[in-house]
Amino acid sequence: PWAIGSSPFWPSSARTLEAPKPPPQPTSIARAPRGARPAAMAPTNARVIVVGGGLAGLSAACELLERGCNVTILEKEENLGGNSSKATTGIAAPGNSLQAAAGITDDGSDLASLDGPEGSALVKVGPQDMQWLTKILGVDSELVLRLTPGHKTARTIGTKTHFPGAVITYAAIHVLQQVSNVKPDRLEIVPNAKVTKLMTSANKVTGVEVMVNGAVTTMFGPVILATGGFAGDYGPGSILATMAKTYMGYPTTNDERTSGDGVKLGKEVGAGTANLDSVQLTPTAAVMQGQADAQFKVVVSDAISGAGAKLIDANGKRFCEELSSAQDRVEAMATSNPPFRLVITEEQAKLVEWLVNFYAQRKVMQTYSSAAALASEMRVKGLDPAIAPGVKLFVATVTPALYTCSGGLTTGWQQAKAGRVLNQSGMAIEGLFAAGEATSTPFVKLWAVCGIPLLYAIYSGRMAGRAVASGITNGNAVQDLRDLIISSITSPAKVAQGEPSPSEAAPAADEKPLEQLSMEELVAKVKDLLANGAAPAAPVAPTAPSGISMDEVKKHNKKEDAWMVINGDVIDVTRWIPIHPGGEQAIVAYLGQDASDEWNMIHKVGTIEKNLVAEGGNGPVKKGKLGGAAAPAAGGGAVAGGGGLTMDEVAKHTAESDLWIVINGHAWDVTKWLAVHPGGTQAITGYAGKDATDEWNMIHKPGTIEKNMFPANPNGPVDKGAVSGASVSAVAAAPTDDEDPAPSGNGGIAGPIGALVFLGINIVKMLLRTVFLTGNFKFNLDNNRKGTIRSACFLLTFTIVHVAGNFVGMIKGPLEANGEGYFFDRLAWTGGFGIWKEGPLGMSVVELYLAAALCLHVSVALKRSWDISLNYTIGTGRWNMLLSGLTILFFLTIHLADIRFSTKMTYTMLRPPTYFVAFPGVLEGRVFYETDESIPLVRVRDIYSREVELFKDVGTSMLYTACIVVFWAHMLIGWKKLVPADAMQIPKDHVRVVTWLGWVASTAIVSMYLSVVWFTYFAPIQQVEHVA
């Protein structure tokens, strides 16, 4: 099961859904008033009651309808589909037509031999049942053959795109809804219907007591329990807690709806149960970032394992055969070292491209540039040789989790007992039948094979349907389900006409027989018949004029009046919500909004168009285009408006608790993003309720806001829709820095140690690439902040060395201070890179590189300030870096004139270390001079006396102090902006700690600089002997 709601839009939590309101019901289905107690259905009008709308229940309903039975489907949720709609891999079907087309001969003997005769019967008959259902549903064109775990050959039926469970259950829901619409006497679908009790009389089940929207009623007729398993209920007294305690420690891929309702109902009337301690585990439940301890897990499709993915342990080695059964893989995990990872290469992923993209977009799978990159994060020397080196990888961290239940109500398998629920003595309970995971399967090994649970749902559902029908219609097939739909809506008047027109005399030569029609062709035929029936069609209200504004769309944000925007079309989904195969929450999350991006991630082109219905139909209704004019107002008047949202509407959202801005023509709700925005809150609040397009594009590379947007980032900006009159892009986008995004997670090294490691590694990278590899200097100077980032790292590193030397020098006295100065003077021979020793290039290579880095930093910073900050007021805070930077530039000019280029410098004599550093004296704090008199004296600058002369003046000390404090502020603000930048490559989990480490280092630097100034001011002067 796909255990995150019934996504196509991935609801935030399948476990914490708000209690839903009853949706509007189809007019063809009678409903009791809310709160009223409907009259009980008379026994003479008995219908077959199917409890549960998953694949087993839907299959049973299809079988019953074809055999002439009238059916009521009771579903406790608002939409049909159940856990089956979330199935991600497919249906195991040996000998299927796709195999035949591929030239594969497969009798399934390897599967039939795993268990007893019941398993053999499933393998032999089940594929025929599967093809019966897919033919009825018209989905054959969507199917594809896959190799999956547990099978010796490709025999699992998957789908080309989307999850196979969703494709098949949706098609079933659509077909059954059509029957319900045109033949409500034949089929009634009742959502929000929780069966509370089985009605009995003389040891016979006669119907159910059911609560529908708060009202209790009684329905009479044979009952099929198809309520699913119990692997989602961990509560006290649950089946898991009482019968399968050993599984309570595992997470689950089932939500709380799978609570064993059918088993509980059956036991109350004396039904027998078996294997309630038998729950199948999946080895591929995803451990998503930050959710390691979450009880609810997403399952990664076994189709990915079938495409060649490898399972590796914490050491990077394979520990099992990936194509073995789920049980075998789980058992191998029990004796191996977690965490486990499922790894597939980019080439292998092409076989299951839609699935891998789906998981990658939702962070279920992470991407790595190579096996070496993954090995580095895992902190292992290398990965298993089976994983190709040097290619892109998709990786999911996985763990065992509860998946399906093979225990439940005991049912018969042969002859008169087939599909019937048995009591504890093995006798059939009259009037009670069961299918799917509500039953106990008599095979264990087979159940662990990929695709078997879905096959069993269809097989057992059809078996139960046949069993019920045999007592009502003698078990004979009456009518093909698609014929039932067509005949129900064909005009009686047209049938009565004597002479057909020439066009009606015979079908066209190229017209397909009904059984060969695809789902799309069948729907087209149905629409044609509906349009041309004898009864005049009800007048259809004119569609809304093109150009409905986003303001108008936003008004329709309730389930009883629900609109959304998909690819520029405004769609009324009010009557689609109850039957949407992806579940109610998948639509409700986007009511009144533009859901184009999320829709297109999941659906292929044309999906919404294929499902459109006319006004009043049970499906999506196109209201018009999103754009210039507004939708018609109630009462027929036109609503004034421009294209999409207006700037007046955006201007209403300026508070930090409700803040919108406009970027590139779209309004963005950035309320939650404020707290986590890398550039700080002021960068956003300065443009609250305004158009920030120009400023945004100057700073950010294309795609930045899309990369951070909700729902991929729960705290990211939310696209509220297009804004009329807003700037699409008034200026060119900021130059891209061509850096990959910083890694998510902790990079494989957790805690403060990891933060230090990645800080060190990436600072070194920045130092090695500071000036000449930034890409700023081409034919012109651009404002790419890569130049400021790398130069800042170099300047910060030099500052640490410089302040440490100054601090130690002043504390230790004249010899150490002057020795440090001479350390750099000794590099003078490298002046002009060893070529130009005089003039402006006569500085040492260290000073030249430092000057180049400083020029780069200042020039790019000034360029960015000119392009960006000057467009803001000072009150926005966007001038902070500019003003503090100019202050520091002023200070550096003074400082260099005071020391490095001072005309007041005096000289003294010193014994310098032979090898630059006095290694024997390091432990005693003597680094830059020697005491050995055999080493000759050398004339050096008396930096100590020059600093004493400066800092004994209180005015100079105060000036230096003020400038150092400004430098501190510049470092604090700049470091906070620098750390989360892509160029720094700090894993996101370490950003906060690395930020604090930088602030601590900045504070230490400033403290030492201030100590030099004020220690010199207060300390007694040490006399130095000067020389000419």
Side-chain angles (χ1 to χ4, degrees):
W2 173 252
I4 277 219
S6 299
S7 161
F9 293 158
W10 194 306
S12 59
S13 173
R15 296 165 295 158
T16 57
L17 301 182
E18 180 182 352
K21 299 176 182 177
Q25 302 298 338
T27 55
S28 60
I29 302 176
R31 293 285 177 268
R34 186 174 180 84
R37 181 182 177 91
M41 185 184 294
T44 54
N45 295 328
R47 303 163 68 92
V48 181
I49 301 166
V50 178
V51 184
L55 187 55
L58 296 173
S59 300
C62 290
E63 179 70 18
L64 287 163
L65 289 167
E66 284 202 340
R67 292 182 178 273
C69 298
N70 300 330
V71 181
T72 296
I73 299 177
L74 302 178
E75 169 56 53
K76 70 176 180 179
E77 301 297 324
E78 288 202 39
N79 52 278
L80 305 182
N83 242 16
S84 309
S85 65
K86 308 167 197 174
T88 61
T89 304
I91 304 172
N96 62 71
S97 59
L98 290 180
Q99 285 183 309
I104 300 174
T105 301
D106 180 20
D107 62 1
S109 57
D110 56 315
L111 299 181
S113 63
L114 291 177
D115 287 291
E118 294 88 353
S120 180
L122 172 64
V123 172
K124 181 178 179 180
V125 179
Q128 300 171 28
D129 292 337
M130 187 274 299
Q131 296 196 158
W132 159 81
L133 183 62
T134 58
K135 178 182 176 182
I136 287 176
L137 305 182
V139 296
D140 285 345
S141 62
E142 300 290 324
L143 306 181
V144 67
L145 196 61
R146 297 198 187 282
L147 175 65
T148 57
H151 301 282
K152 68 176 185 180
T153 187
R155 60 161 68 109
T156 300
I157 301 298
T159 44
K160 296 173 183 176
T161 58
H162 316 300
F163 294 131
V167 170
I168 293 172
T169 56
Y170 173 74
I173 293 165
H174 184 77
V175 168
L176 292 174
Q177 190 67 53
Q178 291 291 332
V179 175
S180 178
N181 290 342
V182 300
K183 282 286 188 179
D185 58 317
R186 295 294 313 280
L187 175 63
E188 182 183 27
I189 300 173
V190 189
N192 296 313
K194 182 173 178 60
V195 175
T196 55
K197 181 181 178 182
L198 294 177
M199 306 300 294
T200 59
S201 176
N203 297 322
K204 174 183 177 180
V205 171
T206 57
V208 298
E209 181 182 87
V210 58
M211 180 180 292
V212 183
N213 296 330
V216 178
T217 186
T218 304
M219 297 181 180
F220 294 97
V223 178
I224 298 178
L225 296 175
T227 54
F230 51 84
D233 186 2
Y234 284 75
S238 66
I239 298 174
L240 275 178
T242 57
M243 304 300 295
K245 295 180 181 179
T246 56
Y247 294 101
M248 290 288 285
Y250 286 96
T252 183
T253 60
N254 293 250
D255 58 44
E256 66 276 6
R257 294 177 299 176
T258 53
S259 52
D261 295 348
V263 176
K264 297 171 185 175
L265 290 169
K267 289 178 69 174
E268 288 177 358
V269 296
T273 59
N275 303 324
L276 290 180
D277 60 348
S278 181
V279 180
Q280 180 60 53
L281 300 172
T282 176
T284 56
V287 181
M288 297 180 68
Q289 184 179 333
Q291 300 181 25
D293 297 328
Q295 187 176 67
F296 181 78
K297 302 292 185 190
V298 175
V299 65
V300 178
S301 173
D302 259 343
I304 293 176
S305 296
K310 305 301 178 188
L311 276 168
I312 59 174
D313 61 13
N315 301 317
K317 304 302 179 185
R318 293 176 65 202
F319 57 90
C320 69
E321 173 52 57
E322 290 80 9
L323 289 180
S324 61
S325 71
Q327 183 176 341
D328 290 343
R329 285 175 287 159
V330 169
E331 288 175 355
M333 283 180 164
T335 58
S336 303
N337 296 324
F340 305 107
R341 290 173 173 84
L342 185 69
V343 183
I344 189 169
T345 67
E346 186 174 31
E347 185 64 27
Q348 293 167 334
K350 292 177 181 178
L351 296 174
V352 283
E353 184 174 9
W354 186 88
L355 285 168
V356 171
N357 287 342
F358 182 91
Y359 291 128
Q361 288 164 357
R362 287 154 179 79
K363 308 301 182 185
V364 176
M365 300 190 88
Q366 306 293 327
T367 57
Y368 294 84
S369 59
S370 65
L374 176 57
S376 175
E377 178 171 305
M378 294 175 63
R379 301 170 66 184
V380 297
K381 292 182 178 180
L383 301 184
D384 193 279
I387 299 173
V391 297
K392 184 177 180 180
L393 302 177
F394 295 90
V395 182
T397 302
V398 296
T399 189
L402 307 188
Y403 190 48
T404 57
C405 300
S406 55
L409 300 172
T410 54
T411 55
W413 279 77
Q414 296 177 351
Q415 299 174 357
K417 292 184 179 180
R420 298 175 180 271
V421 176
L422 308 180
N423 62 22
Q424 297 177 4
S425 302
M427 300 300 294
I429 298 176
E430 190 175 352
L432 186 60
F433 305 79
E437 285 188 56
T439 69
S440 172
T441 61
F443 32 79
V444 177
K445 294 180 181 179
L446 187 59
W447 191 257
V449 174
C450 183
I452 290 296
L454 272 189
L455 181 68
Y456 178 71
I458 300 172
Y459 173 74
S460 59
R462 196 177 188 194
M463 178 190 294
R466 280 196 303 267
V468 177
S470 66
I472 299 175
T473 64
N474 296 321
N476 296 322
V478 175
Q479 189 173 25
D480 181 279
L481 195 56
R482 294 191 298 175
D483 287 339
L484 175 64
I485 300 172
I486 297 297
S487 64
S488 298
I489 58 178
T490 301
S491 163
K494 186 176 291 187
V495 174
Q497 290 173 355
E499 293 294 328
S501 67
S503 62
E504 296 169 340
D510 59 350
E511 183 176 340
K512 296 180 182 179
L514 185 62
E515 64 272 10
Q516 294 181 11
L517 291 179
S518 68
M519 189 62 182
E520 292 82 359
E521 292 166 333
L522 177 62
V523 170
K525 186 172 182 67
V526 169
K527 288 182 178 178
D528 178 64
L529 289 167
L530 281 169
N532 297 295
V540 178
T543 59
S546 62
I548 300 172
S549 72
M550 200 65 200
D551 279 341
E552 181 63 24
V553 174
K554 289 175 60 181
K555 298 175 184 177
H556 304 268
N557 59 5
K558 300 179 177 61
K559 284 197 295 184
E560 58 270 18
D561 179 20
W563 290 12
M564 62 198 302
V565 176
I566 297 175
N567 297 330
D569 290 329
V570 178
I571 309 294
D572 182 343
V573 295
T574 308
R575 301 189 66 149
W576 202 30
I577 290 176
I579 61 172
H580 179 236
E584 168 214 339
Q585 288 296 320
I587 294 183
V588 171
Y590 289 88
L591 297 186
Q593 303 177 40
D594 190 327
S596 300
D597 290 344
E598 293 75 11
W599 178 270
N600 293 328
M601 280 186 207
I602 308 301
H603 302 89
K604 64 183 181 181
V605 176
T607 299
I608 189 71
E609 292 78 3
K610 182 174 71 174
N611 290 284
L612 289 175
V613 300
E615 289 279 1
N618 292 316
V621 177
K622 182 175 177 179
K623 306 299 290 185
K625 287 286 185 182
L626 182 70
V639 180
L645 291 167
T646 64
M647 285 303 300
D648 288 341
E649 174 64 25
V650 176
K652 298 175 184 177
H653 304 270
T654 58
E656 289 195 13
S657 58
D658 178 26
L659 198 154
W660 293 13
I661 61 174
V662 175
I663 296 173
N664 295 332
H666 275 241
W668 298 89
D669 183 342
V670 293
T671 309
K672 289 186 177 180
W673 205 30
L674 275 177
V676 296
H677 180 236
T681 59
Q682 286 185 327
I684 296 180
T685 54
Y687 280 82
K690 301 176 183 177
D691 192 328
T693 298
D694 290 354
E695 292 73 15
W696 177 270
N697 289 329
M698 287 177 185
I699 303 169
H700 301 90
K701 60 186 179 182
T704 299
I705 196 161
E706 291 79 7
K707 181 177 71 175
N708 289 282
M709 68 186 291
F710 175 90
N713 178 1
N715 293 316
V718 178
D719 188 355
K720 306 303 287 186
V723 180
S724 65
S727 172
V728 175
S729 182
V731 298
T736 174
D737 58 16
D738 299 323
E739 300 284 356
D740 291 331
S744 56
N746 58 28
I749 309 176
I753 298 299
L756 281 169
V757 168
F758 284 104
L759 173 60
I761 290 172
N762 290 295
I763 285 290
V764 170
K765 288 181 180 179
M766 293 294 104
L767 297 183
L768 296 175
R769 301 155 65 188
T770 296
V771 175
F772 303 110
L773 298 174
T774 63
N776 292 82
F777 297 108
K778 301 172 186 174
F779 296 105
N780 66 316
L781 174 69
D782 65 40
N783 67 13
N784 185 338
R785 68 172 179 165
K786 189 189 299 183
T788 54
I789 290 173
R790 292 185 182 172
S791 57
C793 290
F794 180 83
L795 294 172
L796 183 60
T797 303
F798 176 81
T799 300
I800 293 172
V801 173
H802 181 260
V803 71
N806 277 208
F807 181 76
V808 173
M810 293 310 298
I811 297 296
K812 299 296 290 185
L815 291 174
E816 192 66 35
N818 295 333
E820 183 206 358
Y822 185 63
F823 173 87
F824 291 100
D825 290 344
R826 295 175 78 178
L827 300 175
W829 66 272
T830 63
F833 300 101
I835 301 174
W836 302 281
K837 298 186 176 3
E838 302 296 335
L841 296 178
M843 297 181 292
S844 71
V845 68
V846 173
E847 292 173 312
L848 282 174
Y849 199 77
L850 180 62
L854 184 60
C855 287
L856 173 67
H857 192 80
V858 171
S859 59
V860 176
L862 288 174
K863 171 67 172 170
R864 288 176 61 81
S865 297
W866 178 265
D867 291 341
I868 302 167
S869 299
L870 295 186
N871 296 304
Y872 295 79
T873 63
I874 292 180
T876 64
R878 297 308 297 270
W879 286 55
N880 289 346
M881 291 297 286
L882 171 62
L883 295 177
S884 60
L886 290 174
T887 302
I888 296 165
L889 188 60
F890 164 75
F891 168 61
L892 281 174
T893 304
I894 294 176
H895 180 61
L896 289 172
D898 284 343
I899 304 292
R900 178 66 178 86
F901 302 110
S902 174
T903 57
K904 300 178 181 180
M905 186 67 69
T906 56
Y907 294 86
T908 186
M909 302 299 288
L910 180 83
R911 302 183 193 277
T914 304
Y915 301 107
F916 292 91
V917 173
F919 293 105
V922 169
L923 294 180
E924 59 187 68
R926 178 172 52 81
V927 181
F928 294 115
Y929 71 96
E930 293 284 10
T931 56
D932 185 353
E933 295 185 0
S934 64
I935 298 175
L937 292 167
V938 176
R939 179 177 176 269
V940 301
R941 290 180 298 151
D942 185 8
I943 295 175
Y944 170 81
S945 296
R946 178 61 187 144
E947 291 187 352
V948 167
E949 181 182 356
L950 288 169
F951 299 144
K952 285 297 182 181
D953 177 72
V954 67
T956 301
S957 293
M958 292 298 294
L959 174 63
Y960 268 68
T961 297
C963 291
I964 290 170
V965 170
V966 172
F967 178 47
W968 183 36
H970 191 81
M971 285 193 293
L972 294 179
I973 299 170
W975 186 255
K976 185 178 180 180
K977 293 165 67 70
L978 179 149
V979 171
D982 289 346
M984 283 295 289
Q985 290 291 292
I986 302 297
K988 291 182 172 57
D989 285 2
H990 291 313
V991 165
R992 181 174 176 274
V993 174
V994 170
T995 300
W996 276 99
L997 288 173
W999 286 349
V1000 170
S1002 300
T1003 304
I1005 290 170
V1006 167
S1007 299
M1008 287 191 282
Y1009 270 134
L1010 292 175
S1011 297
V1012 170
V1013 173
W1014 292 104
F1015 178 84
T1016 305
Y1017 178 82
F1018 287 108
I1021 300 174
Q1022 298 185 44
Q1023 297 299 321
V1024 178
E1025 183 179 349
H1026 294 133
V1027 296

